[in-house]
Amino acid sequence: MNEMTAVADRRASAAEDMALRQALHRFVTGRMRDGVEGEDIVQETYVRLYDYRRKRHIADAGAFCFAVARNLVHDHFRRLRALPPAAELAEDIACPQPRADEVLDYRQRVDILVRALKAMPPLRREIFMRRRLDGVPGAVVAADLDMTQAAVDKHCTRALADLRHALERRGLPAGGRA
């Protein structure tokens, strides 16, 4: 008889748990008006119930669950009020990333310019790179290479002309995108 009583008690307990879960679900979804969010809150309620039961005895699990669920619903709406309003996204917002054709154009230009730099006389390339790419003042470059400022400027002018000519030979404008 003990075994039958235990089975009957487990069935009654399972039926009570099912009834409590359904009542909680109705309670939460009635306040939330969102079944998915409501189910999440019901599940969180049960997680808190089981965690709490490990530490203390709960005399009325139903009252405990409804109190927890009510607080979770309030917390949910409190968080929603704290969020800034969602901005409407326009369809014509430009992506900050460059388009694929821009990237290809850039890579093609870099390749052409690197080859043109390699083809320059070594002194012209060194002066141009120090002056224009490294940002070293012309007077410093002139002093380092024991040249006049005018000679450094002339090498830079010729280097720029070489680079422009390399781009134009490929049909690309020297100033920017094609």
Side-chain angles (χ1 to χ4, degrees):
M1 213 40 129
N2 274 342
E3 202 171 307
M4 289 179 66
T5 306
V7 169
D9 286 345
R10 280 195 301 263
R11 283 187 184 158
S13 178
E16 289 172 9
D17 286 345
M18 183 58 76
L20 174 61
R21 181 167 181 64
Q22 290 171 348
L24 268 175
H25 195 268
R26 282 192 306 272
F27 173 79
V28 171
T29 55
R31 283 159 176 70
M32 301 282 297
R33 291 175 179 73
D34 181 355
V36 175
E37 289 285 335
E39 185 59 34
D40 289 347
I41 287 179
V42 171
Q43 288 179 13
E44 178 64 23
T45 300
Y46 272 94
V47 167
R48 291 184 184 195
L49 170 68
Y50 295 133
D51 285 345
Y52 196 82
R53 275 186 174 165
R54 278 193 257 154
K55 300 171 193 164
R56 297 184 183 99
H57 173 73
I58 298 175
D60 188 350
F64 178 87
C65 286
F66 277 96
V68 168
R70 183 180 56 249
N71 290 337
L72 289 172
V73 168
H74 288 301
D75 290 347
H76 171 78
F77 286 119
R78 197 174 304 125
R79 277 192 307 275
L80 286 180
R81 281 191 302 269
L83 292 176
E88 288 292 322
L89 295 179
E91 293 294 322
D92 59 346
I93 292 179
C95 176
Q97 299 297 320
R99 295 187 327 254
D101 62 328
E102 292 172 330
V103 172
L104 290 173
D105 180 56
Y106 173 77
R107 287 181 181 166
Q108 182 182 15
R109 286 175 178 279
V110 168
D111 185 48
I112 292 168
L113 294 174
V114 166
R115 279 191 257 133
L117 279 168
K118 287 180 180 177
M120 281 182 196
L123 180 61
R124 184 179 302 165
R125 180 177 52 243
E126 181 183 350
I127 290 172
F128 177 78
M129 291 181 72
R130 289 180 67 187
R131 191 72 189 92
R132 290 299 187 105
L133 299 179
D134 297 336
V136 178
V140 173
V141 173
D144 288 348
L145 298 175
D146 197 27
M147 302 174 81
T148 65
Q149 175 76 39
V152 168
D153 291 344
K154 188 124 189 147
H155 275 290
C156 282
T157 301
R158 286 183 179 160
L160 283 172
D162 290 348
L163 296 174
R164 277 192 204 100
H165 183 67
L167 289 172
E168 289 168 357
R169 271 189 305 214
R170 293 292 194 109
L172 298 171
R177 289 177 25 149

